[in-house]
Each structure stands twice: as structure tokens, then as C-alpha cells.
Amino acid sequence: MLVPSSGKRAVDTVVAGILHDVIDDTCESLHSIEGEFGNDVAKLVAGVSRLSHINQLLRRNRRINVNPDTLGPEEANNLRVMLLGMVDDPRVVLIKLADRLHNMRTIYVLPLPKAQAVAKETLVIWCSLASRLGLWALKAEMEDLCFAVLQPQVFRKMRADLASMWSTSSRAGNPRRISARASLLPLDEKNIASEDKGSMAIDEDITSMKDLLEAVVPFDILLDRRKRNKFLNSLRSTLETHSKPKVLRDAGIALASLVVCEEALERELIISTSYVPGMEVTLSSRLKSLYGIYSKMKRKDVSISKVYDARALRVVVGDKNGTLQGPAVQCCYSLLNIVHKLWTPIDGEFDDYIVNPKPSGYQSLHTAVQGPDSSPLEVQIRTQRMHEYAEHGLAAHWLYKETGNKLSSINSMDESEIEASSYISKDLDNQNSMVDDLFHKYSSLKVGHPVLRVEGSHLLAAVIIRVDNDGRELLVAVSFGLPASEAVAARRSSFQIKRWEAYARLYKKVSDEWWCEPGHGDWCTCLEKYTLCRDGIYHKQDQFGRLLPTFIQVIDLTEQEESEYWDLVSAVFEGRQVDSLTSRPNFESITSTSMEASINKKVRLLRTMLRWEEQLRSEASLGQPKHGGKPYVNPGSVVLGEVVIVCWPHGGIMRLRTGSTAADAARRVGLDGKLVLVNGQLVLPSTELKDGDVVEVRM
């Protein structure tokens, strides 16, 4: 499931996965593997074998060190060598994560103390790596397997609570939306009521742990609807013929609830004619890991019923490999309108990550609604290009190149996590606090700031002309001649400054004409009033004071974008030439050739692995006491005295001493005295290099 279905590198990855522990557990040698299966497979097997030493390294460190929360110089160097090996061939990471997932699925064969130690190690080290690489589905399954081993009683209780929320008994108020398949796994209320309270306690034997692990749905079943339906039918047959623990029935109810939600939305899409005709719309779903729900409940201090993204539908709009990005984005907003008509939106739970992508580059529309069973349901809507970026992990990206599947370029990996989580969950009884927070967020809006006007599938460019009532009301100039779907689809592209010019000229036009009240304008421009509502969105207000479905989305500018935008606004107002204004060089946006794109991926993977290395070093001792909420760090902690950089344009990895400069890098490659660019910008020879820098020496 982690690699394409064809291509030599993908096939070699699967072969190496099957052979991953042959050299460690049998008398076979790497030489014999190379002779039988080829050099590529042998290298992968060797890489996985080396990577397995990370666990041994950290365990040995905790066992023998006086200060086990620090790594010694030799151990720190060994760790870095392993991580740099993963960067050279990220398929090694995929195999290792698949190996650890399989270990966790069968961990019930181990004694409980050892199983708990492995689960804790998996949660801290390998779930963290899967998260940083964007392998969300695999990470979620591993988290739940660890959670079932480490906190079995909480695991059972949460499974039961979710089953109670999503079961057939809670659907009485929505008979029209109930699917015939809702009876797939009927819940016997009498049996539940008569269950002894002591059933929440788990016997620490092999059978009990195995049952809990079986209640964790494999991630590939969640990703494939046909597999899921087959799994549900098999589970139903098993429950009818065998006496199985309640936790398995609860897992089935959770899956069946997704089927009900999918079918309700599918029927609505079939009968609706409002979305863009000719677009291919694909529907899928996912369950948030119980561990993720548990962590969110603790972090937000909310009940399980207030975790609105515990289950989610994903609606993906086809865009013909990115050639129809603009129409596909229009379709996304039209589908949002359909969802909000079908189910009641939950106030404050709409996030537009298409207009305002996450720092990681993740784009999608997120909304939380009251689903067909009157329980919260998150709906995520995005284009195929956005979906491919969100679903395929960073390590798997380059494998898909070989099969011809075009994946979207990742603009940056500043965030360690790209998880598609919903907006901060808040108690619906505390609406005043939520609105006050929104007022605070928008009270600093400036006149001239760009916004997006959304009316069904029609996206138009607009700018703020006046801010009233501390940001509660906005007067906005809308240009009906400036469709914005293409610009929205490529929010972080290097050509965005050209699009800012249209906003700047719209702002200047309104200022020159002295338009200042709702209704002012001409045949292609109109001023409209918008009011911040309880749902956290600015809705259009007509001349009678009525609020309409039309809304605007404030475009959040990065620090660089804001600087460039206002420079361009100044140039337009002063009548200066704007062609001379260009976006500042940004290495992350350089993807002009396939070779450069490949190196970009390597750079992002390197930076991700370096952040993971830092986390491993700080958590070298699992379970060490924390002081003031932060891990204890010994003053004598070893600092690895080097920096790792990537040489452009060939992509080689270079290790230099800490404190090395741009001149040292040029000297190392035999081009002493030449111009040096770091991360795309010309720097002084004395500029100190940092881990993950991209260095180019100009001939």
C-alpha cells in the first residue's frame, strides 16, 4: 500500500521487504542476496539491517549510561550515519516502518512487560518518524496498536463510547438518511445493558491482547472501500457464528458508520446538479486513531463528543493531473455548499486551507457537521493534486515518479506534522469566547488586504476597503472580472506576485473613484458589506441587513508575501513600473527540471530526518522524568560537532565541522574563492552554515 503497483524500484522495494531480516536471522549473506535478486535489493536489505540498530543503540544507551538521557559522541555519530543512509534511499524507511507495523500487529505473542516496552518505543520513535514523513494512515494504525497494549482499559472504553455515539440507536431522528447497510452490524442494546461492569477490566493474557489488537482496523482496509466492505461482511459473519468480545463489535460499528455517511453524501451528489459538470468526484473516509482522539481530548480538555474529526469523509475532485486545477477548485467550493445543505455545520469548525495552506503546503477545505446520526462528522474536500500530496508520504514521493503519477511539489516542510486536523474544538456552549477570539484575530486587518469572495463555485478576487467595529464588519470591493480559482489553486507558487498586481490595481481603482459605501461601483466592480458571524465566517449582508450564504475568506499572507504585496501596492499607487518587482529567490520554489525537483525532495527529506534525529537525541531515555513540562537535558549533553549540507546541483551530502562557512564549502569542492549561494541566495564567504542548508558554488 505504500508503493506504486508497478515500476522496478517499487518491485525491488517489495522484494527487499520480504527479505528484510534474512541476513540478521539466517545464515544467508548479502553477497548471496545480491547474486539472486540484484544489487538494488541487496542495498535495501543492508540499509534496513543498519536501521534496526537505532533501537539497539538507544536501548544500550539507556542501559549503560550514567546519564541515559544523553547520547555519547560515538552513539550520536552512529545515529547520524544511519539517518543519512535513509536520506540516500528513503525506501529503507518504508520497509522499516512496514516491518515495525507487522511486529505490532503480532505483539500479543510477547510477554506483557516486553510488549509494553516495544509499544512505548514504537510510539516515541517510529510513530514519530511516520508522522514526519506524512505516512498518516500507517502512523494511525501503529498508534492504536501501541495504545491497545499500553492502555487497554482506556482503549476499550473509547471504542465503546464511539460505538454508542455512532450506533443505529442514535439515528432515530434522521430516518431519511439511514442506509440499508446500517444494519450491517446491529448493536444488541440488551446485551450491552446487561454487561457486567467488570468487563471493562482486561485480563493480561494472550487472548485479551490479541482481541484488542484485532479491534484495530488495518490502515489499508480504511484506504480501500472494497476491502473495507469485504472486511465488514467477514466480521459480521464471524460475530454471528462465534462469541467475540464487544470491542470487536464496537470496531465494526465505527466502520459501518462511515458507510452510512458515505452513502448519504453519495446520494446527495448524484441528485445535485450544482457542482461543476464533467468533474470526477471520488469519495473516501477515515477514522482518526483512538490514540489521536485521546491525545486531543487531553490537550483540549474536552469530552470525546467534542472531537469533531474522530471520523471524516474525504471528497476528492479530479483535475486531470493538475491541468484543470482552476475548475477543480471551483468544484470544491460548490461541494462545500452541498455538504452544508445536507448536514448542519458546527459553528467555528470551517477551515479553508486551500486559500490559506498550512506552512507544510497542505491544501484542503475542512468543515465539521452534524452527521446522519446527529454526531459530529468532518468533511475534507480537495483536488486530486492536493490529495496526492496529502496522502503520499515524503519518503514515497520519488517512487511514484517512475510510474508516471504526477505528484504535487511540496513547497516547504517547515512543520513537522501536516496532519489534516480540524480547527480547535470548542464547546458549543461557549460561543461568545469563540467569537471574541475571531474578533481579536481579524481586528488587525488592513485596508487593501486581499480576500477571496466565494458564492457557490464562483471565486472572485476582492480587497478590503474599510474595517469597522473592530473587525466585525468589512466593506469589500469585488471585481467581477477577476476569477480567482487558478490563483487559489497555486497559492504558494513563485508566480503569485503577478496575481497580487490585480488586487493592488483593484484597490487603486476604488481609491481613485472615491467609492466608499455598499453598492458603489461600476459594471465590473462593486462594494459589498460583510459581517463576521458566529460560524467564524464573514457573510455578505444585503441592503436589508439580511445575511446571505455568500462569504469572503481572508487570505493569510506569510511575512514574505505581505512584504512583497505592500511593495507592489506602493508601486501601483505611485505609478512605478511593477515588472521590476519579482519574488525573492526561494530555493523551495525551484522545480524547473526533474533533476532539481528530485534534489528538492532530498533536501526536504534530509531536513525532516535531522529534526527527527534531534528528537531522538532528546528522548534517548524513554520515560525520563520531566521538569517544568520539558524533558530533562543534562548540561553535559554531547553536541555533534558537525553540520550536514546538500551540494547543488548534484545533490551530494557533505559533512562539515560545526562553524564551517560558505568559503569552507567552496574550498571542500575545489572552488576556493568562487561565489557561494546558500538556499538560493548569494552570501558572504564568512556566512556560517547550518544543518540542512543547500549550497551552490558558482563557477
Side-chain angles (χ1 to χ4, degrees):
M1 289 296 292
L2 294 176
V3 299
S5 57
S6 61
K8 184 179 184 305
R9 282 180 295 197
V11 171
D12 285 347
T13 306
V14 175
V15 173
I18 296 171
L19 300 172
H20 75 276
D21 55 1
V22 164
I23 60 172
D24 294 327
D25 296 349
T26 74
C27 59
E28 291 293 337
S29 66
L30 271 178
H31 181 72
S32 63
I33 290 178
E34 182 178 1
E36 187 74 27
F37 300 101
N39 183 55
D40 191 39
V41 171
K43 284 183 177 179
L44 290 173
V45 172
V48 175
S49 179
R50 285 194 300 270
L51 190 54
S52 299
H53 295 312
I54 286 183
N55 293 329
Q56 299 170 20
L57 184 152
L58 295 177
R59 290 172 194 161
R60 177 177 176 272
N61 174 72
R62 292 196 298 274
R63 189 172 62 248
I64 67 174
N65 277 10
V66 177
N67 295 315
D69 54 318
T70 63
L71 292 177
E74 183 180 354
E75 292 165 326
N77 182 67
N78 290 339
L79 178 61
R80 175 153 288 196
V81 170
M82 291 180 209
L83 298 183
L84 295 183
M86 285 192 279
V87 173
D88 276 335
D89 196 337
R91 292 177 295 173
V92 171
V93 189
L94 299 181
I95 296 171
K96 182 60 190 176
L97 287 172
D99 175 37
R100 178 49 63 112
L101 174 60
H102 184 259
N103 290 344
M104 286 304 305
R105 286 176 175 175
T106 56
I107 201 170
Y108 57 85
V109 300
L110 297 181
L112 183 60
K114 187 170 183 180
Q116 289 177 332
V118 172
K120 193 170 187 180
E121 178 183 270
T122 301
L123 198 59
V124 172
I125 298 176
W126 301 109
C127 289
S128 166
L129 177 60
S131 172
R132 290 180 180 275
L133 296 177
L135 299 168
W136 308 117
L138 180 142
K139 170 208 168 205
E141 185 185 346
M142 277 205 301
E143 282 181 342
D144 272 0
L145 292 168
C146 296
F147 192 40
V149 174
L150 296 173
Q151 300 203 52
Q153 291 175 305
V154 180
F155 179 92
R156 272 184 149 182
K157 178 67 165 60
M158 290 180 64
R159 268 277 178 250
D161 288 345
L162 290 174
S164 178
M165 286 169 52
W166 300 339
S167 68
T168 53
S169 60
S170 64
R171 299 186 181 115
N174 294 277
R176 183 180 68 84
R177 294 169 184 165
I178 301 308
S179 163
R181 204 173 295 180
S183 60
L184 185 64
L185 287 167
L187 189 64
D188 191 336
E189 304 294 342
K190 293 181 180 179
N191 289 346
I192 293 176
S194 63
E195 278 199 19
D196 183 68
K197 293 181 180 178
S199 65
M200 295 307 300
I202 180 171
D203 295 326
E204 294 179 352
D205 62 5
I206 187 170
T207 305
S208 297
M209 186 187 293
K210 185 176 181 180
D211 289 336
L212 288 175
L213 296 177
E214 285 182 3
V216 178
V217 183
F219 80 92
D220 55 315
I221 289 174
L222 285 173
L223 295 179
D224 189 317
R225 293 179 71 182
R226 283 182 296 181
K227 282 187 178 181
R228 186 190 60 197
N229 291 337
K230 185 177 179 181
F231 178 84
L232 277 170
N233 289 327
S234 174
L235 182 58
R236 180 185 59 181
S237 301
T238 302
L239 294 176
E240 287 175 352
T241 57
H242 299 82
S243 176
K244 285 288 186 179
K246 176 178 175 296
V247 69
L248 285 176
R249 293 203 306 275
D250 291 341
I253 289 168
L255 275 182
S257 78
L258 289 180
V259 176
V260 173
C261 296
E262 282 184 358
E263 290 186 345
L265 184 54
E266 271 183 335
R267 286 195 301 272
E268 195 69 18
L269 294 181
I270 289 172
I271 64 176
S272 175
T273 58
S274 59
Y275 62 88
V276 179
M279 282 290 174
E280 180 183 350
V281 178
T282 306
L283 201 58
S284 62
S285 55
R286 69 110 176 100
L287 292 173
K288 190 179 184 73
S289 72
L290 289 188
Y291 179 78
I293 297 172
Y294 175 72
S295 301
K296 194 165 191 176
M297 289 167 62
K298 289 180 62 178
R299 189 171 67 251
K300 308 295 184 186
D301 192 22
V302 296
S303 66
I304 196 168
S305 63
K306 302 302 179 186
V307 180
Y308 299 128
D309 62 339
R311 57 181 180 170
L313 295 183
R314 288 171 176 163
V315 187
V316 179
V317 181
D319 56 15
K320 304 293 184 184
N321 288 329
T323 58
L324 295 176
Q325 269 286 78
V329 168
Q330 287 180 298
C331 185
C332 288
Y333 285 92
S334 184
L335 290 169
L336 175 70
N337 191 38
I338 293 173
V339 170
H340 284 174
K341 287 179 179 178
L342 175 62
W343 294 312
T344 304
I346 297 175
D347 288 344
E349 295 297 322
F350 170 64
D351 286 294
D352 190 338
Y353 296 121
I354 293 182
V355 171
N356 298 313
K358 290 190 176 185
S360 58
Y362 173 86
Q363 287 185 286
S364 184
L365 295 176
H366 287 193
T367 185
V369 297
Q370 297 290 352
D373 47 18
S374 300
S375 295
L377 167 70
E378 184 178 72
V379 181
Q380 303 168 4
I381 308 170
R382 52 195 182 225
T383 69
Q384 182 64 35
R385 191 175 183 182
M386 298 170 187
H387 181 69
E388 286 172 344
Y389 164 59
E391 288 302 293
H392 295 303
L394 182 55
H397 247 69
W398 66 296
L399 270 177
Y400 280 80
K401 265 191 325 183
E402 183 187 51
T403 63
N405 295 357
K406 295 186 178 179
L407 298 180
S408 57
S409 172
I410 304 175
N411 296 324
S412 68
M413 284 297 293
D414 295 333
E415 279 187 337
S416 64
E417 196 158 315
I418 323 169
E419 187 155 21
S421 60
S422 67
Y423 189 73
I424 296 175
S425 298
K426 294 183 175 72
D427 195 316
L428 290 177
D429 295 332
N430 194 17
Q431 294 292 352
N432 291 335
S433 173
M434 180 191 73
V435 175
D436 287 343
D437 290 342
L438 290 168
F439 287 157
H440 177 74
K441 175 183 177 181
Y442 292 126
S443 60
S444 59
L445 284 174
K446 298 178 183 178
V447 172
H449 191 95
V451 297
L452 179 74
R453 180 186 187 269
V454 181
E455 184 177 11
S457 62
H458 302 292
L459 312 180
L460 297 173
V463 293
I464 297 173
I465 301 303
R466 193 172 68 226
V467 180
D468 296 326
N469 202 7
D470 294 329
R472 290 172 173 84
E473 297 176 345
L474 300 177
L475 184 64
V476 172
V478 180
S479 174
F480 293 97
L482 279 178
S485 56
E486 295 288 351
V488 168
R491 266 287 283 118
R492 296 286 189 243
S493 76
S494 56
F495 305 104
Q496 198 67 32
I497 194 166
K498 293 292 185 183
R499 300 182 174 114
W500 295 141
E501 182 180 352
Y503 288 92
R505 296 202 178 279
L506 173 60
Y507 179 32
K508 184 176 187 300
K509 174 182 177 179
V510 173
S511 300
D512 290 345
E513 297 290 345
W514 289 86
W515 293 331
C516 57
E517 293 297 333
H520 286 185
D522 57 18
W523 66 275
C524 67
T525 306
C526 183
L527 269 59
E528 299 175 340
K529 184 178 180 180
Y530 288 82
T531 301
L532 183 59
C533 299
R534 195 175 64 169
D535 60 2
I537 300 174
Y538 282 101
H539 284 279
K540 182 180 176 181
Q541 187 173 341
D542 66 11
Q543 63 268 36
F544 304 109
R546 296 174 300 189
L547 295 174
L548 306 176
T550 302
F551 67 93
I552 59 167
Q553 186 65 38
V554 176
I555 298 176
D556 295 334
L557 302 177
T558 64
E559 192 173 324
Q560 177 175 328
E561 284 177 330
E562 187 161 11
S563 173
E564 291 174 348
Y565 176 72
W566 291 111
D567 285 347
L568 195 146
V569 169
S570 297
V572 168
F573 270 73
E574 295 168 9
R576 291 188 281 115
Q577 192 73 21
V578 297
D579 292 341
S580 59
L581 297 175
T582 57
S583 295
R584 295 168 194 163
N586 180 4
F587 168 76
E588 304 291 356
S589 64
I590 301 174
T591 55
S592 57
T593 69
S594 59
M595 181 188 72
E596 290 172 344
S598 175
I599 296 174
N600 282 346
K601 292 184 178 70
K602 187 171 186 176
V603 171
R604 287 188 287 274
L605 184 58
L606 171 63
R607 292 175 179 175
T608 299
M609 300 310 294
L610 289 174
R611 285 195 294 269
W612 187 57
E613 176 197 37
E614 184 179 354
Q615 178 185 342
L616 289 184
R617 292 173 61 192
S618 68
E619 295 176 351
S621 175
L622 307 183
Q624 281 294 308
K626 295 186 178 183
H627 301 265
K630 296 183 178 180
Y632 172 75
V633 179
N634 190 298
S637 297
V638 64
V639 176
L640 199 61
E642 69 172 26
V643 293
V644 179
I645 64 172
V646 176
C647 300
W648 183 272
H650 303 296
I653 292 178
M654 183 186 297
R655 302 172 71 179
L656 299 168
R657 290 194 311 273
T658 299
S660 294
T661 63
D664 294 328
R667 195 174 300 115
R668 172 71 72 88
V669 297
L671 295 173
D672 193 13
K674 301 296 183 182
L675 295 176
V676 178
L677 285 80
V678 177
N679 299 326
Q681 298 196 20
L682 190 64
V683 298
L684 295 173
S686 58
T687 300
E688 191 170 318
L689 301 175
K690 303 186 296 299
D691 267 338
D693 277 346
V694 182
V695 178
E696 177 185 5
V697 182
R698 286 282 172 89
M699 297 294 291

